[in-house]
Structure formats: structure tokens, C-alpha cells
Amino acid sequence: MSNIVRVLKHTTHHPSLLRYLSADATLSPTPPEPTPRPPTPPNNPTLTTQIVTILQSNDNDWANNDELRRLLFSDDSLSPPPSLYKITRDLGTTAKALKFFDYVRSHSPSPPDPPSLSSAFEAIFEIASREQPNSPSNLFKLFTDFKEHNIALTPSSATHLIRCFGRAGMVDKSLLVYKEIDPDSRNTHVRNLLLDFLLRGGLVDDAFQVLDEMLVTETVSPPNENTMDIVMAALLWRDRSGRRVSEEEIVELVSKFGIHGVFPSPVRLTQLITKLCRSGKSSSLAWNLLHNVIDSGGDVQAPSCNALLTGLGRHQQFQKMNQLLAEMKEKGIRPDVITFGIIVNHLCKFRRVDEALEVFEKMSGGSENDVFSVTPDTILYNTVIDGLCKVGRQEKGLALMEQMRLQCAPNTVTYNCLIDGFCKASEIERASELFDQMNKEGVSPNVITLNTLVDGMCKHGRISSAMEFFYEMQGKGLKGNAVTYTALISAFCNANNIEKAMQLFTEMSKEECSPDAIVYYTLIAGLTQAGRLNDASFVASEMKKAGFCLDVPSYNILIGGFCRKNKLDKAYEMLAEMERAGMKPDGVTYNTLISYFSKSGDFTTAHRVMRKMISEGLVPTVVTYGALIHAYCLVGNLDEAMRIYRDMSSSSRVPPNTVIYNILIDALCKNGKVEIALSLMDDMKDKGVRPNTTTFNAMLKGLQEINSLEKAFELMNKMTEQACNPDYVTMEILTGWLSSAGETEKLRSFVQGYEVSASTA
DNA sequence: TTAGGGTTAG
């Protein structure tokens, strides 16, 4: 090696080239993509073979071989010159190749031309990496020896070296090789290769420098589709070290590519848009990206638009959704079944089911040649059916399932949507019939089917049917999950059957179905509601043991529960615990405490808590004032209650609602101030606050006390007019009062009015 | 494309 280094040190670029060693094609500026072949200079195969044969057989005596000298160096302009690249390559070993290089350098009658030497070295690099494929450091040594002698790297050598070093994870060495290449010869292929390694290695800044050179308007190496794909793949799946590339930069980059007529593939564009929509607070970057590609003439297809539509929908940018759909039509971007799915789903989510049906009918209504005609699939049918069921139009949903059969078969989801629709409409029988029907049809129910029916039964007072159904399904191999248990536990808590709820909770773990946070929350709430704070605390500690956290609402439930039990110390314990867990009390927490202190008659502390609430940046709400007003009413301080009410009304920051009026009217009536109560009802009318049954009950009770029949009749008429249903309290007041006053006829027609309105409703 | 829970004033 030292010998060759010495020889090479004396090698200089020489203007007068030996014709027979020249190889003009060696430095072809832009080899074809994707893999540039080694340059193939015009050569004489017979001559090359002859030379190699001599070199191989007279291993030790090249210097004195005249034949070799003649074949290599004679100037015969009629035949093509021998190729140094091919000869070197055919020598097979690095040692021989280097020795030959040395020989040429010292025996050539005049200095060999640089391109030929470059091509010879290209062959040496190839042999070296074949000989020692796992020794990139040896290759690097060869490269450093070589570059000391100012021989230009051929593009193939450079590509080869960059690839070898890059694959070995020596990206910095790849970069060194790249810097050795004459800038005018750094073609697109070499740059793409380096770019890929730099990005994979997380050298984002170096990568961007290479990329920037490609993206300038005047460049010998413009970006191509590969460049785009390398950059996009790296940016999309980037999770490595290295500088974070902002989303603005990504969009800017794509537009720079666009100037060179290079666009992301439809798949990449869709991935990019999805990413931009998911991460940002708005979809504006994704919007700009898509429009940039459309405007510069890139290939934009429905999936990319679908991604943006989804993002716009998530950010509730409805106008933009419409605008994009109009643009798709205008630009001839054909919507697919997913596009229609997004539109229909979106309309359904906002309960605009008639419009969803309209779109649905229009999309398939066109003739077969219509470019916008798309056949709906099962998912689309299911979306519409679910939309109909969610607004209580399950009969129409059922009809749609029959229509659906002409195009595609209903599946489990179809039935689940309909079963839920009928359950929510209290038609449990119909829901069960659908369940039987699906079984007959061979559509298998899944755990969602089970849960929908169990919940439907539970919510309509059929807990034992629900349990029976659950166990029956379990016997058939359809296991429940946390959702099933939530429905049942919640139902048993509401039915005040705490033992059964706890039993189910214990049963869960036996069934290898561990409770999730919602099961714990449900149980804590149920136990607190039942006044079983010790059990609730126990479940809370079990929950924490299982690795779940209590959240602010569940702390509020417990704090409220302890307050109702008059266990302020326990409430404070919870408060301290939630703050230790890093949770701040919210408005509900403060309202709970304000309500507790004011109801205990400690108005000083109540007001202090309220000041603290305000200083924490929380705003007292109608509930806060309601708690105070209620407590002042309870202690008979109606003046203070009315003062707060007037304060609320005048500042109108917190307009009083029906509950506030109900508290005041009830208290005023109970204190014999029926006239003021009546005037509050007028205030309600003026302010557009609707009275409800409780309002009328309180007022009627007050009127009964002063036996003001005429006023009572007026109110009864108002109730009927406003379709405000009387309840058992109303009937209790009126029955006794009106019968003793001989007004049974009035009572009868009042009740009848509701029977009529109930039947027409 | 389908299923579950809990909080404060009357």
C-alpha cells in the first residue's frame, strides 16, 4: 500500500491526455436512475482479455513484459483503447488491482489521464468491498489514501462508497465522500442516496442542506419522485433523534418540490394530510398543502380529499368541507364511497338525518355512466340506519335494512344499530325480536349486541330479564365485558340493591374481566348515592390499588357525599388528597362546599369559599347563587335571598333560571308572600324563563293557602297551554282543594286536557 | 359504521 500511496502522490492532473487511456464517458454527468451502471467506455474486449491474461500469468514480472507494455500503451487510433476499469476489475483482488494501478502510473509513457485513473479506482473500491464486505473502515482507509491524490471520484465510486458507509451506519463518512464529489457532478441519484442515509441517521440539518441545493431553481440535480418519497417517508415516520421538522416546514417543502413538477404520490399526500390534521389545532396547514398540490397540477385523488374532509369535520369547519366538495366536483376529482361515508356520517352526527338521506339517495341515484355514481356499501347503509335510529326513526331504519338487502347483506353492526334504536324507544320486545331474527339469518351477535340489549333492559326496569339474558348468552359462549357489568351495576345501584351491585363487582374478576375506570366510577357514585360512604371509600382505594386515578368528578361525588353526612373532616381529607394528586377543585367542588356551609347556617364561611373560588379564576354560576338563595330562604332571610336574585338579574351576568325562581316562589309562598311570588312569575314571563311543574306546584300551594281559586284556574289554564304535565304533587293539591270547593268539574276537564294532549303527542 | 358511568342549587 505504501508504494501505491507514494506513486499516487506524484500523480497530477495532466492536460495532454493519452488517447488510448482516455475514457470520455467516465464522467457522464447524469447516469440513469435508479442504479447507474459503471461507465462503459468503448473498449476492445479481445484486447482487455489479452492484457488480463498476461497480468494474471506473469504475476511478478510485468515491468519486463514488452507485450503488456505494447498492448497497454501503444497508440493505435484504429482500435478502441483498453478499459482500465475492466482490466482492474478482472484482476479480482485488491492487492493485484493496486499493484496494477502502480504499474500503469510508473510505466505509462506520459501521465495517464485522470478520468481513467478515476475509473480504475472505481474498480478497486468494488473489489475491496467484495473482498471484505463487512469492513467499511478498510474501505474508508482506501478512500482517504485515494483522495490525497486529487483524482476525481467517478459518480459510480461515490455512489458505491456512500452506500457502503451509509449501510454500515457511518453516515458521517458518506457525507465526507459526498463532499469530495465535484458539485457539478452531484447528480440527483447520489443526492437521493445520501439524503436517505442522512434522514435515517437523524442528521436532519445536513439532509436539509443537501435538499436545499436540489430545490433551488437553477440546479443540475433537480428533485425527482424518489427524492420526494425519501423525504416524505422520513418526515412521516420520524421518531428518531435529530431536529424536529415543523409542519410548516413540511408544507413549504412540498410546495418547493412542486416548482420542479414533483408531487407526493396520492398515498403519501393522504398520509401527510392525515398527519397534519391529527396534530394541529386546525386543518389549515393540510388545507394549504392539498390546494398547493391541486393548483400546481399534482395528482390528487379522493383519498387525500377524504383525509382533509375528516380533519375539517373534526375541527368543525363545515363551510370548508362544503367548499372542498365543490372543488372536487369542479376539478373532476371523483368522490368514492368513503367520501360519501364522511358526508353522511357527519350529517348524522349533527342529527341532520334528512339531508344525510338526500345525499345517500343522490349518490346512487345517477345512471351507471354518471361519474359521481357510487354504490353504497354495508358501512354506508349502517351509518344511515344508525343516524335514523339515533333520532328515534328506527322504523325508517328497519325499512332501509330491507332496501339494503337488494345490494348487500345486513351484518352484526346493522342489527346492533337497530336493536339500540328500539331499546332507546322503550320497545324492548321489538329489539328482542330483531335479536332472534339475526340469529335465524346467521348473523352472529357480538358483545355489543349483548350490551345493547342488557342496557336496554336495565334502563327500562327489567333488571332480572337483563341478568337472565346475560347468563344465557354467557352459557352460549358470548362473554360480557366491563360495559356489560357497568350497565348491570348501575341498574342495581339505581334500584337501591347495593348488595347485588357489589356482588357483580366481585364476580367480574372471577370472569377474567377486570373492572375499568368507568366501572369504579359507577360504583363509587352508586354507593355514595345510597349513603354508603365507607363502601364508596373502600372502592376508591381498590381503584387506586388497581392503578386507576380518581378524577375531579369522582372526588366531587365523595366530597358531596361526606358533606351530606355532615362529615366535614372526611370531605377535607378528600380535598387534600385530590390536591396531592395534582387536581384542582373545580366549580362543582366549590359549589358543593358553598352549599354545605350555607345550609349549615355558616354564611361567613360560605362567602369566604366563594371569594376563594373567584380568586382561583372560577366564576360563580347560577348553581352557586342558587345554593346561597336556597340557604337564605331556609333560614327565613328572604330579603337577602331576594337581594341576591335582584343582583343576578340586574347584572345579568348570571341570569336566573327556573330553579332559582322555584326556590324563591316556594319560599315566598310558604312565608305568606303570595303576591310577590305571583310577580316573580310575571318576571319569568318577561325574561323568557319557562315555568315547570315544580313552579306551578309551589305557586298553587301558595294560592291554596289563601284560597285564591280564580288565580289557581288561571295557572291551570297556563299549564295546559304550555303542555306542562301535572304530577302527583299537583294532583294532591288540586284534588283536596277543588273537591271541597265544589269544583270537581274544573278538575275533571283539567285532567282530561292532559289525556287528550298525551294521546295526540 | 355499533355498546357503558359519575358531580353542585329546587
Side-chain angles (χ1 to χ4, degrees):
Chain A
M1 181 66 82
S2 61
N3 185 32
I4 202 73
V5 169
R6 187 167 42 74
V7 171
L8 287 172
K9 273 189 177 160
H10 297 113
T11 310
T12 51
H13 286 281
H14 208 283
S16 74
L17 305 179
L18 287 175
R19 193 207 61 80
Y20 49 81
L21 279 181
S22 86
D24 287 339
T26 311
L27 281 178
S28 85
T30 341
E33 299 266 341
T35 312
R37 298 304 317 143
T40 317
N43 71 87
N44 183 333
T46 321
L47 181 59
T48 305
T49 315
Q50 278 177 294
I51 294 170
V52 172
T53 310
I54 296 170
L55 289 170
Q56 296 285 31
S57 52
N58 300 289
D59 215 4
N60 294 318
D61 196 22
W62 296 348
N64 300 318
N65 193 318
D66 291 338
E67 175 68 357
L68 179 64
R69 204 178 285 236
R70 189 185 61 78
L71 289 171
L72 264 173
F73 304 125
S74 80
D75 186 357
D76 176 2
S77 53
L78 293 177
S79 59
S83 154
L84 276 195
Y85 170 79
K86 281 185 81 85
I87 296 166
T88 313
R89 193 196 58 188
D90 288 354
L91 289 174
T93 68
T94 316
K96 254 184 220 170
L98 286 170
K99 189 177 156 196
F100 173 62
F101 195 90
D102 195 6
Y103 169 82
V104 171
R105 175 61 194 88
S106 48
H107 291 81
S108 178
S110 57
D113 76 321
S116 278
L117 292 177
S118 294
S119 81
F121 237 104
E122 180 182 321
I124 295 172
F125 286 136
E126 283 173 24
I127 296 167
S129 32
R130 207 168 36 238
E131 262 183 356
Q132 288 181 298
N134 298 319
S135 185
S137 41
N138 282 356
L139 195 62
F140 185 67
K141 178 83 169 64
L142 211 52
F143 164 70
T144 39
D145 289 344
F146 162 87
K147 84 173 182 180
E148 281 176 48
H149 305 292
N150 290 327
I151 305 174
L153 276 171
T154 67
S156 288
S157 298
T159 310
H160 182 78
L161 291 172
I162 289 171
R163 186 178 285 123
C164 286
F165 296 141
R167 281 185 183 156
M170 299 155 68
V171 189
D172 52 330
K173 305 280 190 284
S174 298
L175 196 58
L176 276 178
V177 174
Y178 173 79
K179 285 180 178 157
E180 284 302 310
I181 312 172
D182 169 26
D184 288 341
S185 304
R186 291 174 188 161
N187 62 42
T188 301
H189 176 73
V190 169
R191 287 180 196 259
N192 283 352
L193 190 67
L194 180 71
L195 207 51
D196 198 10
F197 286 127
L198 289 172
L199 287 168
R200 281 169 198 265
L203 299 172
V204 180
D205 286 322
D206 290 311
F208 268 52
Q209 211 175 326
V210 174
L211 192 57
D212 282 343
E213 291 163 8
M214 304 176 83
L215 290 171
V216 293
T217 12
E218 296 290 325
T219 172
V220 292
S221 54
N224 60 15
E225 267 73 24
N226 290 339
T227 322
M228 175 66 95
D229 214 55
I230 288 163
V231 174
M232 288 303 125
L235 297 181
L236 277 164
W237 311 123
R238 164 184 44 86
D239 233 346
R240 312 174 181 87
S241 56
R243 182 170 71 93
R244 197 184 148 71
V245 181
S246 78
E247 271 140 11
E248 283 81 0
E249 278 177 289
I250 297 177
V251 176
E252 177 73 25
L253 213 53
V254 174
S255 91
K256 280 186 185 164
F257 272 93
I259 295 168
H260 293 273
V262 178
F263 303 101
S265 68
V267 173
R268 284 278 184 239
L269 182 61
T270 308
Q271 290 171 331
L272 258 181
I273 289 173
T274 307
K275 180 190 161 79
L276 293 176
C277 286
R278 283 205 182 127
S279 62
K281 280 183 269 332
S282 79
S283 312
S284 61
L285 274 174
W287 176 274
N288 293 346
L289 173 67
L290 186 81
H291 283 80
N292 185 291
V293 177
I294 293 178
D295 295 343
S296 343
D299 182 12
V300 174
Q301 296 172 10
S304 304
C305 298
N306 294 346
L308 182 53
L309 282 169
T310 306
L312 291 168
R314 198 178 295 133
H315 294 105
Q316 313 214 335
Q317 295 177 294
F318 311 133
Q319 268 192 315
K320 292 241 170 160
M321 287 179 84
N322 285 325
Q323 196 181 328
L324 180 56
L325 288 167
E327 283 166 352
M328 285 175 75
K329 196 169 181 178
E330 186 193 316
K331 310 274 179 194
I333 302 169
R334 195 179 159 161
D336 59 13
V337 72
I338 310 280
T339 317
F340 285 106
I342 294 166
I343 301 165
V344 166
N345 189 25
H346 187 261
L347 289 169
C348 287
K349 284 264 155 59
F350 288 87
R351 301 172 75 88
R352 290 160 61 175
V353 187
D354 285 311
E355 288 156 272
L357 276 169
E358 207 178 301
V359 173
F360 181 74
E361 274 154 21
K362 269 192 191 153
M363 66 173 276
S364 44
S367 70
E368 282 193 18
N369 297 328
D370 189 342
V371 282
F372 287 121
S373 178
V374 175
T375 313
D377 59 2
T378 305
I379 293 180
L380 199 50
Y381 267 108
N382 290 347
T383 307
V384 179
I385 289 171
D386 185 51
L388 285 163
C389 288
K390 289 249 156 55
V391 295
R393 290 163 68 180
Q394 57 281 351
E395 297 293 350
K396 171 79 182 160
L398 200 55
L400 201 57
M401 175 166 80
E402 294 313 314
Q403 184 194 318
M404 170 183 186
R405 292 182 197 277
L406 303 171
Q407 282 175 315
C408 45
N411 61 13
T412 308
V413 176
T414 322
Y415 274 101
N416 288 349
C417 294
L418 286 165
I419 289 172
D420 191 48
F422 281 102
C423 281
K424 295 264 153 64
S426 320
E427 295 192 62
I428 310 295
E429 293 308 322
R430 297 282 300 280
S432 301
E433 279 165 29
L434 280 166
F435 178 76
D436 293 338
Q437 188 186 329
M438 75 189 283
N439 281 300
K440 269 187 209 130
E441 257 176 45
V443 179
S444 324
N446 60 14
V447 69
I448 297 182
T449 324
L450 168 70
N451 293 340
T452 306
L453 271 164
V454 166
D455 191 55
M457 291 172 182
C458 285
K459 292 237 164 68
H460 294 91
R462 305 192 192 184
I463 312 182
S464 45
S465 306
M467 286 291 284
E468 206 178 297
F469 178 66
F470 173 38
Y471 288 133
E472 188 190 326
M473 288 300 111
Q474 209 168 34
K476 289 183 177 169
L478 182 51
K479 299 247 180 215
N481 60 15
V483 178
T484 329
Y485 283 98
T486 303
L488 292 165
I489 288 172
S490 174
F492 280 116
C493 285
N494 286 329
N496 217 6
N497 191 343
I498 303 297
E499 300 317 315
K500 195 74 195 164
M502 285 301 273
Q503 192 189 317
L504 281 165
F505 176 70
T506 322
E507 187 185 304
M508 286 188 79
S509 23
K510 281 188 210 139
E511 289 295 326
E512 288 170 350
C513 167
S514 43
D516 64 6
I518 293 182
V519 174
Y520 284 106
Y521 293 151
T522 307
L523 201 52
I524 290 170
L527 292 168
T528 306
Q529 177 76 28
R532 297 175 55 159
L533 271 299
N534 286 338
D535 293 335
S537 300
F538 169 73
V539 174
S541 62
E542 287 296 298
M543 181 174 181
K544 282 175 272 184
K545 263 191 229 161
F548 295 102
C549 280
L550 273 91
D551 58 1
V552 176
S554 36
Y555 277 114
N556 288 342
I557 288 168
L558 288 165
I559 291 168
F562 283 124
C563 283
R564 275 192 297 279
K565 287 246 157 192
N566 221 353
K567 290 185 169 166
L568 191 60
D569 51 337
K570 284 280 188 187
Y572 275 148
E573 235 173 69
M574 288 291 117
L575 212 52
E577 189 185 307
M578 79 186 277
E579 291 191 334
R580 269 202 305 278
M583 270 168 277
K584 271 183 166 303
D586 67 358
V588 175
T589 325
Y590 281 103
N591 289 343
T592 305
L593 294 169
I594 290 165
S595 170
Y596 168 78
F597 286 117
S598 49
K599 265 202 203 112
S600 321
D602 186 354
F603 289 100
T604 316
T605 309
H607 282 285
R608 199 169 63 225
V609 174
M610 190 164 143
R611 281 194 299 275
K612 167 86 172 147
M613 174 183 188
I614 294 166
S615 75
E616 288 292 325
L618 295 163
V619 184
T621 63
V622 68
V623 178
T624 322
Y625 293 113
L628 287 168
I629 289 174
H630 186 216
Y632 280 118
C633 286
L634 285 175
V635 296
N637 190 346
L638 293 196
D639 289 343
E640 187 56 24
M642 285 300 283
R643 198 194 60 73
I644 297 173
Y645 159 72
R646 278 190 297 269
D647 191 43
M648 288 172 77
S649 318
S650 66
S651 59
S652 83
R653 279 173 300 122
V654 188
N657 62 10
T658 307
V659 177
I660 298 289
Y661 282 105
N662 291 352
I663 297 167
L664 286 168
I665 288 168
D666 185 58
L668 288 165
C669 286
K670 280 178 180 151
N671 285 273
K673 300 183 175 176
V674 184
E675 285 302 319
I676 305 177
L678 280 169
S679 75
L680 280 185
M681 285 207 75
D682 293 336
D683 285 2
M684 288 180 89
K685 198 176 178 185
D686 294 343
K687 296 205 167 75
V689 181
R690 271 183 76 91
N692 60 19
T693 309
T694 313
T695 327
F696 284 110
N697 289 348
M699 202 61 243
L700 285 169
K701 209 164 168 38
L703 292 170
Q704 185 195 10
E705 290 297 319
I706 57 167
N707 201 26
S708 177
L709 265 180
E710 288 308 309
K711 272 281 170 200
F713 292 158
E714 258 178 53
L715 282 187
M716 284 158 71
N717 286 338
K718 267 192 199 162
M719 275 183 93
T720 317
E721 273 166 31
Q722 296 174 9
C724 178
N725 291 321
D727 59 8
Y728 75 97
V729 180
T730 327
M731 295 319 294
E732 232 169 52
I733 300 165
L734 293 181
T735 320
W737 184 19
L738 296 195
S739 341
S740 62
E743 293 282 358
T744 42
E745 181 54 31
K746 194 87 196 165
L747 183 64
R748 205 178 54 82
S749 63
F750 175 70
V751 177
Q752 257 179 2
Y754 285 99
E755 277 166 5
V756 172
S757 69
S759 65
T760 48

